[in-house]
Amino acid sequence: MLRRKIVEQYQKGVTQRKIAKTLHLSSSTVHNIIRRFRESGTISVRKGQGRKTILDARDLRALKRHCTTNRNATVKEITEWAQEYFQKPLSVNTIHRAIRRCQLKLYSAKKKPFLSKIHKLRRCHWARDHLKWSVAKWKTVLWSDESRFEVLFGNLGRHVIRTKEDKDNPSCYQRSVQKPASLMVWGCMSACGMGSLHVWKGTINAEKYIQVLEQHMLPSRRHLFQGRPCIFQQDNARPHSASITTSWLRRRRIRVLKWPVCSPDLSPIENIWRIIKRKVRQRRPKTIEHLDACIRQEWESIPISKLEKLVSSVHRRLLSIVRRRGDATQW
């Protein structure tokens, strides 16, 4: 549009110096545009020749197929493969640019539990067996789990803004503590609301877990369900599957939901832990007491609408497991 204005004023007889002053351009820019118009009769810029890329479109398709097949390969390994496959002198930087041209990018992989073929088969069977459950049935489940919270020290994040020479500047280091102070937290929730929360230091065994169930799970079940029948959910951790724990649950006549191994993506309370950890990380507690207070405050601030949304998503989680044949899902 700017080139068109220059040509229109030139055809009206306006001088090049006046055109440049009016449009706030240099005189050489206006002169070059008018000269190109006189020579070619057009205002479009001629496409520059430039140096041809070492990898053409066919090579990029082959590179993209190799990258999507070997997603965990490093750029150096991909470069070695490309040099042998294309029979061309290729550098790591060239392959890195070619990967970006393929609309690909290096990301940090999500962490998921390892699943063997037997695990996937059992998860898939469990998901198919529970697909017939309605949302109302899932709302009768009391979800429970444990999680570990740590006191945060130093700077957050792996990235720092610096120059090349500041790599050894102490303010540019990422500080970490080998064994930070931590708390183990047990909690339960349902679509009706948040249950009780229990915090303690150290690890947990079957005896301590039974005490937690007596002091926190039973009152939470009475408070949330008001005597209505419910199903208790827990994972397959050793304190949960111990013989004394199962016999205690049997004596109390508590119906327990059979749970597949390595399946944190099925439990909505795992999403609650992630939400709380993100909020606690933003508050950056420095002491165990402050960490305990932050956890309890964030636990009580979870709205019921969020709980209903998470519990209602269980059916979609089961469908994802069936579609992926028992493999890990996005949840």
Side-chain angles (χ1 to χ4, degrees):
M1 187 175 63
L2 194 60
R3 290 195 295 267
R4 190 179 298 111
K5 288 182 179 180
I6 294 173
V7 172
E8 289 176 354
Q9 294 190 27
Y10 167 74
Q11 291 176 340
K12 292 178 181 179
V14 183
T15 61
Q16 296 184 13
R17 181 176 295 180
K18 191 173 182 179
I19 294 173
K21 186 176 182 181
T22 304
L23 299 178
H24 304 286
L25 299 172
S26 64
S27 300
S28 59
T29 300
V30 175
H31 173 74
N32 293 333
I33 293 174
I34 293 174
R35 185 185 63 183
R36 188 184 310 121
F37 174 75
R38 287 201 302 258
E39 294 175 354
S40 62
T42 180
I43 59 174
S44 61
V45 179
R46 185 181 64 178
K47 185 178 179 180
Q49 298 298 319
R51 180 181 176 181
K52 294 184 179 180
T53 57
I54 193 169
L55 296 177
D56 55 15
R58 183 178 180 181
D59 296 337
L60 291 178
R61 289 195 297 269
L63 178 65
K64 186 174 183 178
R65 285 194 301 269
H66 178 78
C67 292
T68 52
T69 305
N70 305 274
R71 294 186 183 273
N72 295 323
T74 62
V75 179
K76 184 178 179 181
E77 294 172 348
I78 297 174
T79 304
E80 294 175 353
W81 169 86
Q83 291 173 351
E84 182 180 356
Y85 184 83
F86 298 119
Q87 294 296 315
K88 296 178 181 179
L90 300 168
S91 65
V92 175
N93 292 333
T94 300
I95 294 300
H96 206 286
R97 289 193 297 269
I99 291 175
R100 289 199 296 267
R101 289 173 59 193
C102 296
Q103 306 299 320
L104 299 175
K105 190 178 178 181
L106 298 175
Y107 291 94
S108 298
K110 286 185 176 181
K111 292 184 179 180
K112 295 290 183 178
F114 173 77
L115 295 171
S116 63
K117 291 183 179 179
I118 297 178
H119 293 161
K120 295 179 183 179
L121 185 62
R122 291 176 179 174
R123 277 164 53 89
C124 195
H125 287 332
W126 189 91
R128 287 197 179 99
D129 293 340
H130 291 79
L131 273 175
K132 56 187 177 183
W133 282 26
S134 62
V135 177
K137 185 70 175 291
W138 287 114
K139 289 184 177 181
T140 63
V141 177
L142 179 64
W143 307 89
S144 70
D145 192 30
E146 297 94 6
S147 185
R148 182 175 296 277
F149 290 78
E150 296 179 349
V151 177
L152 300 176
F153 294 95
N155 299 323
L156 292 177
R158 297 180 301 169
H159 304 285
V160 63
I161 301 176
R162 63 171 177 84
T163 62
K164 186 176 180 181
E165 292 75 17
D166 285 338
K167 63 178 180 179
D168 292 322
N169 191 319
S171 63
C172 299
Y173 291 153
Q174 180 187 0
R175 308 287 182 172
S176 61
V177 180
Q178 290 185 353
K179 294 182 179 180
S182 62
L183 293 174
M184 181 66 75
V185 180
W186 179 93
C188 61
M189 50 81 66
S190 71
C192 306
M194 303 297 290
S196 180
L197 190 73
H198 179 65
V199 181
W200 73 93
K201 297 179 182 179
T203 58
I204 187 172
N205 53 25
E207 291 79 7
K208 292 181 180 178
Y209 182 65
I210 292 175
Q211 294 178 3
V212 172
L213 295 181
E214 289 180 345
Q215 299 173 7
H216 298 278
M217 189 273 288
L218 294 179
S220 298
R221 187 179 66 162
R222 290 192 296 268
H223 171 70
L224 294 175
F225 294 96
Q226 301 293 327
R228 299 187 303 271
C230 70
I231 306 171
F232 178 60
Q233 181 275 336
Q234 60 179 0
D235 56 21
N236 298 298
R238 288 188 177 182
H240 304 175
S241 58
S243 58
I244 59 174
T245 304
T246 54
S247 59
W248 182 88
L249 292 169
R250 197 180 304 113
R251 289 196 309 268
R252 290 283 185 164
R253 296 182 180 180
I254 298 174
R255 185 182 174 187
V256 181
L257 178 64
K258 188 177 179 181
W259 196 251
V261 296
C262 302
S263 301
D265 52 350
L266 280 171
S267 179
I269 197 172
E270 296 287 348
N271 301 86
I272 297 295
W273 292 134
R274 285 198 290 268
I275 293 172
I276 295 176
K277 285 185 177 181
R278 183 177 67 249
K279 292 183 178 180
V280 169
R281 193 181 302 115
Q282 294 173 355
R283 299 176 66 170
R284 299 186 60 75
K286 298 296 184 181
T287 61
I288 288 290
E289 292 76 14
H290 190 197
L291 177 63
D292 190 344
C294 292
I295 295 172
R296 296 183 184 277
Q297 291 173 7
E298 298 299 339
W299 176 267
E300 296 173 356
S301 65
I302 301 294
I304 295 181
S305 58
K306 185 66 176 180
L307 302 178
E308 293 178 348
K309 183 178 179 180
L310 290 174
V311 174
S312 301
S313 68
V314 176
H315 186 75
R316 296 196 300 272
R317 301 174 192 230
L318 299 179
L319 292 175
S320 300
I321 289 179
V322 174
R323 283 196 298 266
R324 299 195 179 193
R325 298 180 180 179
D327 208 343
T329 63
Q330 63 179 350
W331 302 92

